[in-house]
Amino acid sequence: MAETVVQTDHERGAAPAPPPRGRRGRRTVLVASALVVVAAVAVVGALGLGGGGAQEGSSAPPRSDSTVPVTRTTLTERTTVDGQLGYGTEIPLPVKATGTVTWLPAEGSTVKRGGTLLRVDDRPVVLLYGTLPMYRELGLTVGARQGTRQDAQQETGAEGDTRDSGGQGRTDETSGAPDRTDETSGAPGPSGSPTPSGGAGAGAGAGGTAGTLRGMDVLQFESNLAALGYTGFTVDEEFTDLTARAVKRWQKSLGLPQTGTVGIGDVVYSTGKVRIGHAGVRLGSPATDDALRYTGTSRKVVVSASAAEDSWAVRGAAVTVGLPDGKSVKGEVASVGKSATAPEEGGGEGGSATPTVPVTITIKDQKSVGRLESAPVTVEYVGRERADVLTVPVAALVALAEGGHGLETADGRFVAVKTGLFADGRVEVSGSAVREGMNVRIPE
């Protein structure tokens, strides 16, 4: 077997030592891995691969007698990135009221269903829950007005007169045999009447009387009205007289004129309660689309993840959020931005910053965050994972003279191993001579 000798700086200037008896020495420098450079050198003199070992004056420490078993476990590679705790990005409330802003809520306050978001011309703009925006007035007379206009258009011919067709001319409303009735007749309305799926009013072809307002926005509004405790009507897609009566009771509680009609600027819809953000106007200013901004009421974490290393950011992926007080809470990836942001010019060390994408992480247990509303945090996520593999402490690895890594057994033998994932101070090892439970030395 070829000899292995560790050559120290002191030896390079001294006369070469005589080779072992009966063999010609061959000098080989044993190079250890970055993690165990000192440990590998420490055991070279005890490898049994050379004859004479280290010479007197060598700085290599003696071998260690401590051993550890090879264990089978799951290795998990974890990575930590920086994030920011807060309520997320503020977005404008879709305020459609026109007039002068006469009251604004305090920034940071919470508004629930039925609460007042702001006052315009001293009228409250009320928050309701839903996904469909307010796009038209809701009431009994709205559909009737549109039905009247549509009827007038049908009554008037292309030349502005009513003509007889084959002796079967249209009679007037007093003839007793009209081929179309007015809005209060209960008969089918004109074909141009809106259907239940939308439109400003619905004819009897949609199952209601002419002038009755129907649509999903009616259903959404009635659902909110009932949730606020105003009942006595059927929650459906039809705005009836019973709905109007409930609206009047609601308007009375708000100090509004009891018209039974809901104006387009009277309510704003959101998917849930909101946290008031920065106001875009001052008291006395005209109401605008950017009059008030809001966020959700749940705290969340936003991470600017490297676009080149964002494979961990998958919706629903579990992460751990580290708080400033040292506590950790569970989080979940809620959304990942689809547009990467270019790094600022000169950003990063040496200007080597990479583009990033925003990753939003939600925290289910809001109480675990305490009273913090904004703070820098860390986010730990799982990168790679290897289940049911043989592992040893990284310090147990030694570099072999012939290349690669090995382990020293308790009886002084050296076995070659193939390394895999490094994580949590341990390394995955495999090889024909490695088995679970065998003891290996930890070089000093």
Side-chain angles (χ1 to χ4, degrees):
M1 180 181 293
E3 295 180 341
T4 302
V5 178
V6 175
Q7 192 175 24
T8 66
D9 292 339
H10 173 71
E11 291 169 340
R12 291 191 184 95
R21 291 177 299 176
R23 286 190 172 184
R24 180 179 178 181
R26 188 176 71 184
R27 300 190 176 200
T28 303
V29 177
L30 189 63
V31 180
S33 67
L35 294 172
V36 291
V37 173
V38 176
V41 173
V43 299
V44 168
L47 291 181
L49 302 177
Q55 295 185 3
E56 183 178 355
S58 172
S59 60
R63 294 163 55 195
S64 169
D65 289 330
S66 63
T67 61
V68 294
V70 176
T71 59
R72 186 176 296 277
T73 187
T74 296
L75 279 185
T76 303
E77 179 185 67
R78 301 180 183 275
T79 303
T80 300
V81 294
D82 294 331
Q84 181 65 38
L85 176 71
Y87 288 92
T89 303
E90 293 184 355
I91 57 177
L93 276 164
V95 176
K96 291 185 169 63
T98 58
T100 301
V101 176
T102 53
W103 179 83
L104 288 168
E107 185 173 351
S109 59
T110 299
V111 180
K112 301 179 181 179
R113 174 170 23 211
T116 300
L117 293 167
L118 72 164
R119 297 181 75 92
V120 178
D121 288 349
D122 205 29
R123 291 173 58 94
V125 177
V126 180
L127 176 71
L128 298 180
Y129 295 169
T131 57
L132 190 63
M134 189 73 173
Y135 65 92
R136 60 176 177 174
E137 285 187 352
L138 302 179
L140 288 175
T141 60
V142 177
R145 288 197 300 268
Q146 288 208 357
T148 300
R149 289 195 297 268
Q150 292 168 345
D151 292 345
Q153 292 172 359
Q154 292 190 4
E155 284 285 346
T156 304
E159 297 177 3
D161 62 341
T162 57
R163 291 176 294 180
D164 205 346
S165 176
Q168 300 295 327
R170 180 175 298 174
T171 62
D172 61 24
E173 295 178 353
T174 62
S175 66
D179 68 348
R180 183 193 56 80
T181 59
D182 62 19
E183 290 78 19
T184 60
S185 67
S191 60
S193 299
T195 63
S197 60
T209 60
T212 300
L213 203 65
R214 295 175 65 91
M216 292 302 296
D217 57 336
V218 175
L219 174 62
Q220 179 174 270
F221 174 77
E222 289 186 343
S223 298
N224 279 273
L225 203 57
L228 291 173
Y230 298 93
T231 57
F233 59 93
T234 301
V235 177
D236 55 16
E237 296 180 17
E238 185 174 351
F239 196 105
T240 66
D241 181 64
L242 295 177
T243 308
R245 293 179 185 179
V247 170
K248 290 178 180 179
R249 296 195 299 272
W250 176 57
Q251 290 174 328
K252 181 178 180 181
S253 70
L254 295 173
L256 293 172
Q258 300 171 47
T259 64
T261 299
V262 185
I264 192 172
D266 290 346
V267 302
V268 170
Y269 286 103
S270 78
T271 55
K273 58 185 179 180
V274 301
R275 180 179 182 272
I276 300 300
H278 176 71
V281 297
R282 295 182 178 181
L283 293 180
S285 301
T288 65
D289 292 341
D290 197 25
L292 203 59
R293 290 178 170 266
Y294 77 103
T295 65
T297 57
S298 297
R299 286 159 293 182
K300 58 192 69 176
V301 174
V302 177
V303 172
S304 295
S306 169
E309 301 175 359
D310 65 348
S311 59
W312 62 273
V314 179
R315 186 174 181 179
V319 298
T320 301
V321 178
L323 302 177
D325 60 3
K327 296 180 180 179
S328 296
V329 298
K330 294 180 180 179
E332 182 179 292
V333 175
S335 64
V336 182
K338 296 182 179 180
S339 300
T341 302
E344 295 183 5
E345 190 173 340
E349 294 184 7
S352 59
T354 58
T356 60
V357 293
V359 178
T360 301
I361 296 165
T362 56
I363 301 172
K364 186 175 182 180
D365 184 6
Q366 289 287 300
K367 292 182 179 179
S368 64
V369 186
R371 297 182 178 180
L372 283 176
E373 293 191 351
S374 178
V377 296
T378 59
V379 175
E380 182 183 80
Y381 63 87
V382 174
R384 295 180 296 166
E385 188 173 80
R386 294 281 292 167
D388 195 31
V389 294
L390 296 176
T391 68
V392 296
V394 174
L397 287 179
V398 294
L400 301 178
E402 58 269 28
H405 294 90
L407 300 172
E408 182 185 5
T409 64
D411 58 7
R413 293 180 301 108
F414 285 82
V415 295
V417 295
K418 181 180 179 180
T419 59
L421 180 64
F422 286 77
D424 297 329
R426 300 186 69 83
V427 58
E428 174 190 358
V429 293
S430 59
S432 58
V434 183
R435 67 182 186 278
E436 183 179 0
M438 69 182 292
N439 290 322
V440 296
R441 292 184 184 276
I442 299 291
E444 287 187 350

